[in-house]
């Protein structure tokens, strides 16, 4: 029986009806009018109802991928930074509203599961997925199962420490990989170059406007030969590439799937990760390793959430 997948972001809820093979039969997207839990539940219900209506089939179960830390058994969102939520029992609330069993997972786990079943991970049993977007995260599929850890937060690659007492991270700790390599922090570090007047190329590319800076600005400044930009970029690339290489050494996946906005739009950084894995992952761990790009784009989370509910 098809299932319902929900992708809960900071501004929209998307819903899709997905069959057991991971094919999307219909989808809908509704803007979050209110960001309080009751309002968000109503928006999700509206998107779900539109998707189910246009698919014209019955669904059995609902999976939700949310940008949040989730208590894996209770479906409680411990921390959802985009929505400003703490300890919201979204699983129970949605189950009551939709009249369906509901499973809530982290958005990255949902995306990884989608790629594993219906995208770049098809046919493999041991898959490591690394996404670099505004944040940095990984998901581990070992022996065909999603590794979620005792508390449900396994795979948090963005919060491994790379510099003792280093830059402050969005998680509240210091020296995390994400504080150097996540999209938000690449932008922050590039703005610091602009504000300090240290990088002529960043000043030129952004027209002096910090709002125009993206991670691509940094990569372009490096390509233009800018020394200050290169310093920031090299550090980010080195930390990321070595972290992914080390994760490959530890997990020995058959496939490494790279995705997320930063790796998609900054081909130089992506290349550095691939080269880093080839140089630094242990030779035995990378024997037979296939490095590939995520295939499902924005739909991976929707498809994966639906398949996890099946
Ligand atoms: Zn952190």
């Amino acid at each position: 029986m098809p299932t319902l997948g929900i992708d809960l972001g900071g501004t929209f809820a998307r819903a899709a009806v997905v069959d057991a093979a991971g094919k999307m039969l219909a989808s809908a997207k509704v803007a979050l009018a209110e960001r309080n839990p009751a309002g968000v539940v109503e928006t999700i219900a509206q998107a779900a109802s539109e998707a189910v209506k246009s698919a014209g089939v019955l669904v059995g179960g609902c999976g939700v991928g949310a940008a949040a830390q989730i208590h894996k058994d209770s479906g409680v969102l411990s921390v959802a930074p985009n929505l400003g939520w703490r300890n919201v029992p979204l699983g129970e609330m949605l189950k009551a509203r939709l009249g369906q069993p509901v499973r809530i997972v982290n958005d990255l786990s949902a995306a990884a599961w989608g790629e594993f079943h219906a995208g770049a991970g098809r046919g493999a049993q041991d898959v490591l997925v690394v996404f670099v977007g505004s944040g940095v995260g990984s998901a581990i599929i070992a022996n065909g199962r999603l590794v979620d850890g005792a508390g449900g937060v396994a795979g948090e690659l963005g919060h491994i420490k790379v510099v003792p007492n280093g830059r402050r991270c969005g998680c509240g700790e210091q020296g995390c990989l994400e504080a150097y390599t996540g999209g938000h922090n690449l932008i922050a570090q590039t703005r610091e170059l602009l504000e300090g007047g240290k990088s002529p190329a960043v000043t030129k590319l952004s027209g002096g406007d910090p709002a125009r800076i993206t991670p691509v600005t940094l990569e372009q400044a490096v390509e233009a030969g800018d020394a200050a930009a290169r310093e920031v970029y090299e550090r980010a690339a080195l930390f990321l590439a070595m972290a992914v290489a080390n994760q490959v050494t530890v997990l020995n996946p058959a496939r490494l799937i790279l995705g997320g906005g930063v790796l998609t739009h900054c081909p130089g950084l992506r290349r550095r990760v691939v080269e880093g894995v080839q140089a630094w992952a242990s030779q035995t761990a990378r024997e037979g390793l296939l490095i590939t790009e995520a295939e499902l784009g924005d739909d991976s989370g929707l498809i994966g959430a639906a398949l996890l509910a099946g």
Side-chain angles (χ1 to χ4, degrees), residues 201 205 217-226 229-231 233-234:
L205 287 161
T217 315
L218 180 64
E219 187 159 297
Q220 287 173 339
V222 173
E223 282 160 9
D226 190 286
R230 176 167 294 281
E231 197 179 317
Y233 183 85
E234 286 298 321

Side-chain angles (χ1 to χ4, degrees), residues 158-161 167-179:
H159 305 289
I160 66 165
K161 302 299 177 280
R167 286 178 71 87
R168 179 74 62 186
C169 179
C171 72
E173 296 173 7
Q174 279 178 275
C176 296
L177 176 63
E178 183 171 303

Side-chain angles (χ1 to χ4, degrees), residues 137-182:
S138 72
I140 301 155
I141 292 158
N143 230 341
R145 294 174 64 104
L146 193 59
V147 175
D148 44 17
V153 293
E156 289 272 16
L157 180 65
H159 305 289
I160 66 165
K161 302 299 177 280
V162 291
V163 178
N165 305 313
R167 286 178 71 87
R168 179 74 62 186
C169 179
C171 72
E173 296 173 7
Q174 279 178 275
C176 296
L177 176 63
E178 183 171 303
Y180 296 90
T181 312

Side-chain angles (χ1 to χ4, degrees), residues 201-260:
V202 167
T203 304
K204 188 166 168 234
L205 287 161
S206 65
D209 180 2
R212 285 177 55 191
I213 288 175
T214 70
V216 177
T217 315
L218 180 64
E219 187 159 297
Q220 287 173 339
V222 173
E223 282 160 9
D226 190 286
R230 176 167 294 281
E231 197 179 317
V232 169
Y233 183 85
E234 286 298 321
R235 185 173 65 178
L238 173 67
F239 289 163
L240 178 64
M242 194 163 276
V244 176
N246 288 341
Q247 217 181 0
V248 167
T249 300
V250 170
L251 295 168
N252 184 209
R255 225 165 281 181
L256 169 63
I257 301 175
L258 300 174

Side-chain angles (χ1 to χ4, degrees), residues 75-98:
V76 170
L77 271 59
S78 320
V79 187
N82 294 340
L83 295 164
W85 290 1
R86 275 183 179 272
N87 298 318
V88 172
L90 185 68
E92 283 302 316
M93 292 172 78
L94 264 181
K95 187 178 160 201
R97 179 66 180 78
L98 298 176

Side-chain angles (χ1 to χ4, degrees), residues 2 13 26 35 37 46 50 60 62 69 79 98 120-121 165 198 207 217 236 241 258 261 277 279 300:
R35 295 158 70 93
Q46 190 191 335
E50 283 178 26
C62 172
Q69 286 180 21
V79 187
L98 298 176
N165 305 313
K198 288 179 182 156
T217 315
L258 300 174
V277 170
S300 59

Side-chain angles (χ1 to χ4, degrees), residues 35-152:
R35 295 158 70 93
N36 62 70
V40 168
V41 165
E42 276 316 304
T43 304
I44 291 174
Q46 190 191 335
S49 143
E50 283 178 26
V52 170
K53 204 167 150 192
S54 86
V57 294
L58 288 172
V59 294
C62 172
V64 181
Q69 286 180 21
I70 293 139
H71 190 272
K72 69 173 182 175
D73 297 321
S74 64
V76 170
L77 271 59
S78 320
V79 187
N82 294 340
L83 295 164
W85 290 1
R86 275 183 179 272
N87 298 318
V88 172
L90 185 68
E92 283 302 316
M93 292 172 78
L94 264 181
K95 187 178 160 201
R97 179 66 180 78
L98 298 176
Q100 298 269 359
V102 173
R103 178 167 180 194
I104 306 209
V105 297
N106 171 273
D107 56 349
L108 186 62
S109 299
W113 197 248
E115 290 289 346
F116 172 60
H117 272 283
R122 275 190 315 268
Q125 284 296 296
D126 296 280
V127 179
L128 172 62
V129 181
V130 173
F131 275 73
V132 183
S134 51
V136 177
S138 72
I140 301 155
I141 292 158
N143 230 341
R145 294 174 64 104
L146 193 59
V147 175
D148 44 17

